Amino acid sequence: MSTTPPVLAAELAQAWADIQRHHPELPDLAAPESLIGESSSACGHELSFERLLHEAVHGIAAARGVRDTSRAGRYHNRRFLAIAEELGLDHPEEPHPSSGFSLVTLNPEAKRRYRPTIERLQRALKAHTAATAADTARSFRGPAARHGSSGGGVRVKAVCDCGRNVRVVPSVLAQAPIVCGGCGKPFRIPEVVGAAAG
């Protein structure tokens, strides 16, 4: 059984909907696929249900107009902590010096409540990891992968006609052109430029 990113994205969306059933004010998850392959040092978790619940805390904070982080989103304050407790997340007694109360964990009641959801998501994540590990052995993933890039996928350099460059996930660039503010031309991935010239 292999789980492709769209299938995993659907499982993430379903898990989010399960959280919404218990917390109706939680906004919809706009792009579940953006969480695939992404880890956050501020959150301290790789993708899991616990991480999804952590993100749901931020979603509810945004819906309520609550500023739950500072220091460019790294420090999770006591307002984050209060909402995290509502969603069934436990926390250490003292905040971490740089990330505050970001390292939250599921409490026993939340584990019971979401057990079927957690199990379903774990199966999808395991299948996705196995499928992607097989793909990596025979495909080029770019220099960012070799250097442990974090974020919503492997970023590569895209250039414009005036020589400026940006790092971008190829699938994002494929959705619509990203235009340079200097020359007004779209950014392109150099390998594509070289192939077109040849």
Side-chain angles (χ1 to χ4, degrees), residues 68-141:
D68 62 341
T69 62
S70 58
R71 301 180 196 166
R74 289 186 308 273
Y75 191 88
H76 293 58
N77 60 33
R78 291 193 183 276
R79 290 181 292 274
F80 169 86
L81 183 57
I83 299 170
E85 289 173 346
E86 288 178 41
L87 269 69
L89 293 166
D90 282 338
H91 58 85
E93 288 297 316
E94 295 297 319
H96 185 275
S98 62
S99 62
F101 293 102
S102 68
L103 299 176
V104 289
T105 56
L106 282 168
N107 69 27
E109 182 184 335
K111 284 180 185 174
R112 279 190 300 276
R113 177 187 308 142
Y114 293 112
R115 184 175 175 203
T117 305
I118 293 167
E119 290 172 354
R120 197 175 59 242
L121 185 58
Q122 282 176 335
R123 282 193 301 274
L125 285 164
K126 186 176 178 183
H128 174 72
T129 301
T132 9
D135 288 347
T136 333
R138 57 181 200 278
S139 62
F140 176 70
R141 300 212 41 206

Side-chain angles (χ1 to χ4, degrees), residues 20-86:
Q20 283 178 312
R21 273 194 283 285
H22 296 280
H23 304 279
E25 69 183 304
L26 177 63
D28 291 339
L29 182 59
E33 60 279 357
S34 68
L35 294 171
I36 300 171
E38 180 178 321
S39 64
S40 168
S41 57
C43 299
H45 299 117
E46 291 189 4
L47 189 53
S48 65
F49 182 77
E50 195 167 74
R51 165 76 190 284
L52 200 61
L53 204 55
H54 177 122
E55 296 301 331
V57 172
H58 292 303
I60 289 177
R64 293 178 181 174
V66 171
R67 186 168 178 213
D68 62 341
T69 62
S70 58
R71 301 180 196 166
R74 289 186 308 273
Y75 191 88
H76 293 58
N77 60 33
R78 291 193 183 276
R79 290 181 292 274
F80 169 86
L81 183 57
I83 299 170
E85 289 173 346
E86 288 178 41

